[in-house]
Amino acid sequence: QSVLTQPPSVSGAPGQRVTISCTGSSSNIGAGYDVHWYQQLPRTAPKLLIYGNNNRPSGVPDRFSGSKSGTSASLAITGLQAEDEADYYCQSYDSSLSCWVFGGGTKLTVL
Amino acid sequence: EVQLMDSGGGLVQPGGSLRLSCAASGFTVSSNYMSWVRQAPGKGLEWVSVIYSGGSTYYTDSVKGRFTISRDYSKNTLFLQMNSLRVDDTAVYYCAKLLAGGWYEDGYFDFWGQGTLVTVSS
């Protein structure tokens, strides 16, 4: 059971907008630690998608955006494309565990 | 261009040992925070260990006393020595560069290796 909770799966049609939630607690997201997001395409290593809650690394399309409020964070993907089909993970730090923690991952299916 | 190349995985019996390597290019391992992150088959990501630029090391509770993270300046390579391996250590192990600004707690993994599979089974 992951410290950060994500829905196991989400889906959307091409062109639509989807959001993926990441729910934590007062010892991680609620404590003010940054949230970061990763995209893992099938059979590949994770890739940094969003850092520092809402910043995109160079090369990541502006269709991807992040937000954070209270003990939760969200990843939004607009203009859904077939190539977005992947697993998505949120990550933060937990002061009780004294380590970096990940969400359980969300599988995005493009219908 | 930053590149990380993981190697050293394989099949090992419970109680055995394995040493993973992560050869880096495009940056200096010893000047950065470096981590190992693992992913059990069909499961999510789990942080395993970190070595800071100053040399301090930290581990997730389940591997403390069994795993040792280290680095070689001359080879620009990160290592993970894994002893007393258990079946639940079976996973793909990724080395990752950890980038942190003012607070290490707000760090994130900006570059990843391709991963190396460790299978612990009799």
Side-chain angles (χ1 to χ4, degrees):
Chain A
Q1 190 166 340
S2 302
V3 172
L4 304 179
T5 301
Q6 298 180 234
S9 63
V10 297
S11 63
Q16 284 189 332
R17 177 181 187 270
V18 297
T19 61
I20 298 173
S21 61
C22 175
T23 302
S25 67
S26 58
S27 62
N28 42 69
I29 298 175
Y33 297 120
D34 284 347
V35 177
H36 320 289
W37 292 89
Y38 303 87
Q39 178 192 60
Q40 187 175 32
L41 297 171
R43 295 172 298 282
T44 68
K47 168 194 163 187
L48 179 66
L49 195 64
I50 297 287
Y51 67 93
N53 305 315
N54 55 13
N55 300 288
R56 289 185 309 276
S58 173
V60 173
D62 60 7
R63 301 187 296 105
F64 295 89
S65 63
S67 63
K68 173 189 157 185
S69 178
T71 58
S72 296
S74 288
L75 172 70
I77 310 173
T78 59
L80 209 55
Q81 299 180 5
E83 65 201 50
D84 299 332
E85 194 160 281
D87 293 326
Y88 293 83
Y89 293 89
C90 59
Q91 175 246 313
S92 187
Y93 186 86
D94 191 281
S95 58
S96 295
L97 299 173
S98 296
C99 71
W100 294 274
V101 291
F102 291 90
T106 298
K107 182 175 181 60
L108 169 62
T109 300
V110 180
L111 302 171
Chain B
E1 180 191 7
V2 170
Q3 286 192 328
L4 296 169
M5 187 66 65
D6 301 320
S7 62
L11 174 63
V12 61
Q13 291 188 336
S17 298
L18 215 51
R19 187 195 198 202
L20 306 184
S21 299
C22 170
S25 60
F27 74 102
T28 303
V29 165
S30 60
S31 299
N32 286 273
Y33 298 171
M34 296 295 297
S35 263
W36 288 96
V37 177
R38 68 183 177 183
Q39 185 172 33
K43 303 297 184 182
L45 301 169
E46 179 188 23
W47 172 78
V48 174
S49 180
V50 66
I51 182 167
Y52 291 132
S53 52
S56 299
T57 59
Y58 296 91
Y59 304 88
T60 190
D61 285 347
S62 63
V63 309
K64 281 180 184 174
R66 301 188 298 123
F67 289 13
T68 302
I69 189 172
S70 63
R71 63 196 180 195
D72 185 314
Y73 175 81
S74 62
K75 295 180 180 178
N76 205 31
T77 298
L78 179 74
F79 301 101
L80 186 67
Q81 177 66 43
M82 304 186 295
N83 299 329
S84 303
L85 281 162
R86 310 189 303 217
V87 172
D88 61 358
D89 292 320
T90 296
V92 173
Y93 285 73
Y94 298 99
C95 72
K97 178 174 164 291
L98 177 64
L99 184 62
W103 305 98
Y104 70 88
E105 296 95 335
D106 284 333
Y108 53 92
F109 306 97
D110 59 343
F111 291 97
W112 298 66
Q114 87 285 3
T116 186
L117 176 62
V118 172
T119 302
V120 184
S121 174
S122 55

